[in-house]
Each structure stands twice: as structure tokens, then as C-alpha cells.
Amino acid sequence: MLVLIAVLLALIPAAAILYPFLFRRGLSSVFRDETSTYSELTRRWEAAIAGLKNTELEYVIGNLAEDDYRDLREQYMLEAANIMKAMELEDQQEEELLANVASEVKAVRERITGSSPEDDERTNDE
């Protein structure tokens, strides 16, 4: 009986330690493609915000002269503005791509069925 209890006490922590290595569910959703444009823009955005915070801190502490502070602040603000514009452009491109895909799907559907989805909706309404 004592041996059985000792074996169980050894197996429970071993199972808890080995579980993440044996069952890797959902890891692909956690790790996204780090080479994507959105990831790069996000990293640049975080760097610009961190630079602004650091500049503010250094100026308040007294480590930066006012002229240097203004120059650095303007530089980080311009970087943040450029990143925001790039993110907006990326969103617009995504919307245009989705619209193009929708029109292609519609065209293929019309070729296959001989009618458009609007025609189908009209016949269902009547």
C-alpha cells in the first residue's frame, strides 16, 4: 500500500509537468506571424510611445534641456502620426481586398448558378 501511494505521489507532479509538452492545443493562435506589417507597425507604435514617455521623464527629472526635449518630442510625435496613417492605409487596403473578394465570389456564383444573390432574395421574398 505504501508503495502504491509513493508511485501516485510521483506520477501526479510528473503528469503536471509533462502535460504542456504532450498537449499543445491553441499555441498557434497565441503566436501570430511576427513578420506581418501589422506586427511591425505595432512594434513601431509601442517604441514611439515608450520614447515619448522616456523623453517626458528625462525632461521632468532635469536630464534634458528644453530644446532637446522639444526636438525629441516632435520626432516621436511625427513617428506616431506616420504609424497611425500607415495603420489606416492598411485598414483601407484590407477593406478594398475584401470588397474585391466579395465581387469575385458574386461573379463566380452568377456563372455557376446563372443568377445573382439579389435574384435569389427577390424570389424568396415573393
Side-chain angles (χ1 to χ4, degrees):
M1 186 66 165
L2 188 60
V3 173
L4 180 64
I5 293 173
V7 169
L8 286 175
L9 286 175
L11 285 178
I12 292 172
I17 291 170
L18 293 176
Y19 181 79
F21 297 110
L22 298 176
F23 303 102
R24 294 179 180 239
R25 292 184 302 185
L27 286 181
S28 60
S29 65
V30 173
F31 298 109
R32 288 189 279 164
D33 183 17
E34 291 295 321
T35 61
S36 70
T37 305
Y38 185 77
S39 295
E40 177 64 26
L41 289 173
T42 302
R43 278 193 293 271
R44 287 177 52 201
W45 172 261
E46 290 171 357
I49 298 301
L52 274 170
K53 288 180 182 180
N54 190 26
T55 302
E56 289 288 331
L57 177 66
E58 292 292 324
Y59 178 68
V60 169
I61 291 173
N63 291 345
L64 272 178
E66 189 171 342
D67 292 336
D68 294 337
Y69 165 72
R70 275 193 248 129
D71 290 340
L72 286 171
R73 186 170 184 265
E74 182 178 341
Q75 178 184 358
Y76 287 124
M77 296 276 282
L78 286 173
E79 177 70 13
N82 289 334
I83 293 167
M84 288 174 60
K85 286 179 187 177
M87 285 182 170
E88 287 176 10
L89 287 176
E90 187 174 288
D91 289 341
Q92 279 181 335
Q93 291 170 346
E94 182 179 347
E95 289 173 8
E96 290 172 5
L97 180 64
L98 288 175
N100 289 340
V101 168
S103 67
E104 289 292 324
V105 168
K106 181 181 174 182
V108 169
R109 186 177 294 149
E110 287 175 359
R111 268 188 263 139
I112 292 173
T113 63
S115 65
S116 66
E118 291 85 19
D119 294 339
D120 295 339
E121 288 177 11
R122 287 186 205 133
T123 56
N124 289 338
D125 291 342
E126 295 173 356

